[in-house]
Amino acid sequence: DIQMTQSPASLSASLGETVTIECRASEDIYNGLAWYQQKPGKSPQLLIYNANSLHTGVPSRFSGSGSGTQYSLKINSLQSEDVASYFCQQYYDYPWTFGGGTKLELK
Amino acid sequence: QVQLKESGPGLVQPSQTLSLTCTVSGFSLTSYSVHWVRQHSGKSLEWMGRMWSDGDTSYNSAFTSRLSISRDTSKSQVFLKMNSLQTEDTGTYYCARNFDYSGDYFDYWGQGVMVTVSS
């Protein structure tokens, strides 16, 4: 199975700050990567797919980048509604696997 | 509008079988795959398996021996059955969809159903 290592596990940032979350795959996943946001008590919501494509309706302050085994999610100008957990998911090879998650809080 | 909704028992005894239903609306099961994903207590997510739009299935080998996914297209429902449940199977179970002709990312998820395995 492809292991997805996400960092950091938790993050505290101020409003307006830029935040970056990393995801490293145990092998090349050829941009088969998605990012999800999950708020407490809610289901995950798709933010980014194919490593860098913004899902419909997602604010443009979210962006994804990377290639090979290294990927990142960037949130520009952090808003209060961005407080959530974030997960990466690879869909290059079965079984699809997820990163351990990053819990983002406000400082 | 697109909706997925999971239903099933909240409590299952150890060694028993879990049966969940995902009822969908706003799209056709013959155009989209429906996947099952579970989450332990807000921790990471685990992909379990899928029902393809053509009726085929794929499973995570971690569950293959005890997991079965089926569907009833006339009722727009996808079913999960997993036997020999243990306490480690406690968690929230989600169904989610993806379009078969795109990457396997999930653009819509159900609200999830919490399952506790306990005697």
Side-chain angles (χ1 to χ4, degrees), chain A residues 1 34 36 38 41-46 48-50 55 85 87 89 91 94-101, chain B residues 35 37 39 42-47 50 52 58-61 94 103-112:
Chain A
D1 297 2
Y36 301 91
Q38 185 178 32
K42 301 292 187 184
S43 56
Q45 301 294 307
L46 178 67
I48 301 285
Y49 62 95
N50 294 347
H55 181 53
S85 292
F87 295 92
Q89 176 226 341
Y91 49 91
Y94 278 124
W96 311 146
T97 47
F98 294 82
Chain B
H35 302 247
V37 177
Q39 185 171 37
K43 292 183 180 143
S44 193
L45 299 144
E46 188 173 24
W47 178 78
R50 78 189 289 172
W52 290 84
S58 297
Y59 298 105
N60 186 333
S61 59
Y94 296 99
D104 278 355
Y105 49 87
F106 310 125
D107 62 350
Y108 283 90
W109 296 63
Q111 65 194 20

Side-chain angles (χ1 to χ4, degrees), chain B residues 24 26-33 53 76 97:
Chain B
V24 310
F27 68 97
S28 172
L29 292 179
T30 58
S31 298
Y32 287 81
S33 281
S53 60
S76 295
R97 77 161 199 181

Side-chain angles (χ1 to χ4, degrees), chain B residues 59-91:
Chain B
Y59 298 105
N60 186 333
S61 59
F63 300 96
T64 302
S65 61
R66 61 191 186 111
L67 177 64
S68 173
I69 298 174
S70 59
R71 73 180 184 180
D72 183 337
T73 54
S74 68
K75 294 183 178 177
S76 295
Q77 293 179 324
V78 177
F79 309 104
L80 175 150
K81 271 190 169 46
M82 188 163 69
N83 58 32
S84 304
L85 250 61
Q86 301 302 319
T87 54
E88 309 87 81
D89 295 311
T90 292

Side-chain angles (χ1 to χ4, degrees), chain A residues 67-88:
Chain A
S67 63
T69 62
Q70 302 274 4
Y71 298 86
S72 60
L73 172 71
K74 188 162 82 168
I75 310 172
N76 286 317
S77 188
L78 188 70
Q79 306 294 303
S80 57
E81 60 263 34
D82 300 335
V83 170
S85 292
Y86 293 84
F87 295 92
C88 59

Side-chain angles (χ1 to χ4, degrees), chain A:
Chain A
D1 297 2
I2 296 176
Q3 305 304 313
M4 303 300 292
T5 303
Q6 202 172 325
S7 61
S10 62
L11 181 55
S12 183
S14 303
L15 290 174
E17 201 173 321
T18 294
V19 166
T20 300
I21 298 168
E22 309 278 345
C23 199
R24 176 170 51 85
S26 58
E27 60 186 84
D28 196 329
I29 58 171
Y30 299 94
N31 283 18
L33 185 101
W35 289 97
Y36 301 91
Q37 177 192 68
Q38 185 178 32
K39 296 184 177 178
K42 301 292 187 184
S43 56
Q45 301 294 307
L46 178 67
L47 297 174
I48 301 285
Y49 62 95
N50 294 347
N52 56 25
S53 296
L54 195 67
H55 181 53
T56 305
V58 174
S60 59
R61 63 180 181 274
F62 290 91
S63 64
S65 63
S67 63
T69 62
Q70 302 274 4
Y71 298 86
S72 60
L73 172 71
K74 188 162 82 168
I75 310 172
N76 286 317
S77 188
L78 188 70
Q79 306 294 303
S80 57
E81 60 263 34
D82 300 335
V83 170
S85 292
Y86 293 84
F87 295 92
C88 59
Q89 176 226 341
Q90 69 82 18
Y91 49 91
Y92 172 69
D93 194 22
Y94 278 124
W96 311 146
T97 47
F98 294 82
T102 295
K103 188 172 183 180
L104 175 58
E105 298 174 327
L106 280 180
K107 194 181 289 182

